[in-house]
C-alpha cells in the first residue's frame, strides 16, 4: 500500500512539474503559433482556437494570458516591432560610415525583415488598431524614431534644415512598406521583374534629394 501511494504521489508530482513548465511557456508558444498562422494566411487566419490547437493546449488555455484574439495580435506586433527596431538600428549603426550609406543599409534591413518575418510583419502592419495597445504602440513609435533620426542625420549632413524631418521619415517609411509588400506578394523579384533593394534605394534617394533641395524625385 505504501509503495502504491508513493508511486501515485510521484506521478502526481511529475505531472504537476510538467504542467507548470508547459504553462510557464504557454504565452510564447501561443505567440509563435500565431506568427505561423499570420505567415500562412495573414491576419484573417489568426484565431485563439487555432493558436491553442497548434500550441497543443485546450481552447480555453490561451485566456490565461490573452483576453482575446486582438490581445494576442497586439503582443505579436509588439515583439515584431521590437525585433524590427533592433534590426534597423543595428543596420543604421549610428550613421556610419556616412548617413547615405547607413540609410541604404537600413533600407536593406527593412526589406530583409519583411521577407524573413512575414508573420511578424503581418501583425505589425495588418491593422493600425493593433497599435492602440500601449506596449505595441510604444515599440512602433520607437522604430519610427530610429528612421526619423536617420533622416535628420542625412539632412544635417547635406546642410539642410531638419524641421520637416518627421514628414520626410513618413515618406521613406511609406516607400519602404510599399516595396516590402510588393516583394512579399511576388511583384518585385531581383531575378525576374525588379530588384527591390534597387527600387527602394532610388526612391529614397529621390525623396531625400527633394528634401535637401538638390533635386526632385524621379517620376
Amino acid at each position: 500500500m505504501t509503495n502504491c501511494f508513493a508511486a501515485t504521489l510521484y506521478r502526481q508530482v511529475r505531472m504537476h512539474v510538467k504542467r507548470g513548465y508547459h504553462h510557464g511557456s504557454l504565452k510564447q508558444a501561443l505567440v509563435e503559433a500565431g506568427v505561423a498562422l499570420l505567415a500562412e494566411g495573414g491576419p484573417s487566419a489568426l484565431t485563439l482556437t487555432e493558436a491553442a490547437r497548434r500550441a497543443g493546449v485546450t481552447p480555453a488555455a490561451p485566456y490565461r494570458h490573452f483576453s482575446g484574439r486582438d490581445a494576442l495580435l497586439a503582443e505579436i506586433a509588439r515583439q515584431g516591432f521590437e525585433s524590427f527596431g533592433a534590426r534597423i538600428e543595428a543596420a543604421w549603426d549610428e550613421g556610419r560610415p556616412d548617413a547615405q550609406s547607413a540609410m541604404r543599409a537600413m533600407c536593406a534591413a527593412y526589406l530583409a525583415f519583411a521577407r524573413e518575418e512575414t508573420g511578424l510583419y503581418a501583425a505589425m502592419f495588418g491593422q493600425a488598431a493593433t497599435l492602440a495597445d500601449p506596449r505595441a504602440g510604444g515599440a512602433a513609435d520607437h522604430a519610427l524614431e530610429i528612421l526619423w533620426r536617420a533622416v535628420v542625420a542625412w539632412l544635417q549632413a547635406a546642410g539642410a534644415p531638419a524641421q520637416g524631418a518627421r514628414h520626410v521619415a513618413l515618406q521613406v517609411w511609406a516607400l519602404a512598406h510599399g516595396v516590402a509588400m510588393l516583394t512579399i506578394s511576388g511583384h518585385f523579384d531581383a531575378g525576374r521583374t525588379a530588384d527591390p533593394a534597387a527600387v527602394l534605394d532610388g526612391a529614397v534617394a529621390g525623396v531625400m534629394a527633394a528634401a535637401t533641395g538638390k533635386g526632385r524625385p524621379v517620376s
Side-chain angles (χ1 to χ4, degrees), residues 81-184:
F81 272 113
E82 287 186 352
S83 178
F84 171 71
R87 183 164 322 181
I88 62 172
E89 189 164 31
W92 169 245
D93 192 25
E94 298 183 355
R96 291 186 286 258
D98 57 73
Q100 291 88 340
S101 299
M103 177 71 85
R104 187 173 294 111
M106 179 186 286
C107 289
Y110 190 117
L111 291 180
F113 182 91
R115 285 194 297 256
E116 296 165 12
E117 303 289 355
T118 53
L120 290 175
Y121 199 78
M124 291 157 59
F125 295 111
Q127 56 187 47
T130 301
L131 302 183
D133 179 278
R135 294 183 302 167
D141 289 344
H142 176 66
L144 182 58
E145 182 184 352
I146 297 165
L147 179 56
W148 171 78
R149 293 202 311 261
V151 168
V152 168
W154 186 322
L155 292 173
Q156 290 176 337
Q163 287 88 339
R166 179 173 176 79
H167 180 68
V168 177
L170 291 174
Q171 289 180 306
V172 172
W173 175 27
L175 289 170
H177 181 66
V179 173
M181 291 303 296
L182 287 167
T183 302
I184 291 170

Side-chain angles (χ1 to χ4, degrees), residues 7-42:
T8 301
L9 181 61
Y10 175 69
R11 286 195 299 271
Q12 289 176 342
V13 169
R14 282 181 57 87
M15 289 176 63
H16 175 75
V17 170
K18 289 175 68 177
R19 281 199 302 267
Y21 174 78
H22 182 70
H23 290 166
S25 61
L26 175 58
K27 182 176 182 179
Q28 192 58 32
L30 291 167
V31 167
E32 291 170 5
V35 170
L37 289 167
L38 289 163
E40 293 166 13

Side-chain angles (χ1 to χ4, degrees), residues 2 31 50 54-55 67 86 104 108 150 152 160 180 205 209 219:
T2 301
V31 167
E50 182 59 20
R54 294 202 178 194
S67 59
R104 187 173 294 111
V152 168
S219 60

Side-chain angles (χ1 to χ4, degrees), residues 37-85:
L37 289 167
L38 289 163
E40 293 166 13
S44 62
L46 178 64
T47 65
L48 277 184
T49 299
E50 182 59 20
R53 188 188 71 78
R54 294 202 178 194
V57 295
T58 66
Y63 291 96
R64 298 191 182 103
H65 299 285
F66 301 106
S67 59
R69 172 192 178 276
D70 289 346
L72 174 58
L73 188 61
E75 175 60 17
I76 296 171
R78 180 192 69 78
Q79 293 190 21
F81 272 113
E82 287 186 352
S83 178
F84 171 71

